[in-house]
Amino acid sequence: MVHGIMNAISWGVMLPSGAVTARYFRHIQSLGPAWFYIHAGVQLSAFFLGTVGFAIGLKLGNSSPGVTYGLHRKLGIAAFCLGGLQTLALLFRPKTTNKYRKYWKSYHHFVGYACVVIGVVNVFEGFEVMGAGGSYGKLAYCLCLSTLIGACIALEVNSWVIFCRKSKEDKLRREGIISDKGSTDLIHNS
């Protein structure tokens, strides 16, 4: 139970929440660099909690010979390895002015999203392994994950609205219809 609860919280809730933090809070200028510290703190906490849960899972696997959960084990190892790569990537993050920064960002996004997806899938696989496919624990996890997905949808719509407003404002500014001073009045009145 401890293995399942720790891993459901770390790989299944905290890691996706940390990804959401980076995806949607990075663009809020009033936060400054706080979004990064929140993102890194949540992700590191999730990885360390997940490492303890992973170690418990290895111990459970070694103490129960003859019982193998192939897919669950493979997904767990994959999520742990990807999480470890992400943690190491934090140490080798180039400065924003470095010419290799775009490659690092692509790597970070790809590996990060892969880790989140594998982690969530493995939480569901863990419920099946425990025989708790129809349990209240799985229902609670589904509700938590659904809430997070709903928040993502709302934040994505908000991001697109802001993007469209800024695009419209930039177009009007390029055409000389508005100046920098009157741009917000025109956007709010249209």
Side-chain angles (χ1 to χ4, degrees):
M1 287 298 277
V2 173
H3 164 74
I5 291 169
M6 289 179 79
N7 285 328
I9 291 170
S10 63
W11 300 106
V13 176
M14 290 176 71
L15 275 178
S17 297
V20 168
T21 301
R23 169 86 172 110
Y24 297 110
F25 293 171
R26 173 180 50 217
H27 304 293
I28 301 173
Q29 293 176 351
S30 62
L31 286 177
W35 73 267
F36 173 76
Y37 298 114
I38 294 168
H39 168 67
V42 170
Q43 298 300 73
L44 285 173
S45 299
F47 181 68
F48 289 130
L49 183 65
T51 299
V52 173
F54 180 74
I56 293 170
L58 290 176
K59 177 69 175 149
L60 289 171
N62 288 336
S63 64
S64 55
V67 179
T68 56
Y69 301 108
L71 181 59
H72 183 64
R73 178 178 286 185
K74 290 172 187 169
L75 289 173
I77 291 169
F80 178 75
C81 290
L82 290 174
L85 285 173
Q86 285 293 76
T87 303
L88 288 174
L90 181 64
L91 300 174
F92 300 108
R93 186 178 70 136
K95 295 184 186 267
T96 55
T97 57
N98 190 308
K99 66 180 181 178
Y100 296 110
R101 175 69 176 225
K102 64 182 176 182
Y103 302 114
W104 181 89
K105 282 180 72 173
S106 295
Y107 157 83
H108 185 67
H109 289 171
F110 177 75
V111 173
Y113 285 128
C115 186
V116 167
V117 169
I118 290 171
V120 168
V121 168
N122 203 31
V123 169
F124 282 108
E125 183 64 24
F127 279 114
E128 296 305 317
V129 164
M130 291 175 55
S135 69
Y136 287 116
K138 185 175 180 181
L139 176 63
Y141 178 69
C142 288
L143 289 173
C144 185
L145 198 59
S146 298
T147 302
L148 186 61
I149 291 169
C152 287
I153 291 169
L155 289 167
E156 191 67 34
V157 168
N158 184 54
S159 295
W160 275 101
V161 168
I162 291 170
F163 173 78
C164 291
R165 282 185 183 166
K166 284 184 180 180
S167 294
K168 182 178 178 182
E169 180 181 320
D170 289 344
K171 180 182 176 195
L172 293 174
R173 189 176 292 115
R174 279 192 310 272
E175 293 173 354
I177 296 173
I178 61 171
S179 65
D180 288 335
K181 185 180 178 184
S183 64
T184 55
D185 292 339
L186 184 62
I187 295 293
H188 291 296
N189 292 336
S190 60

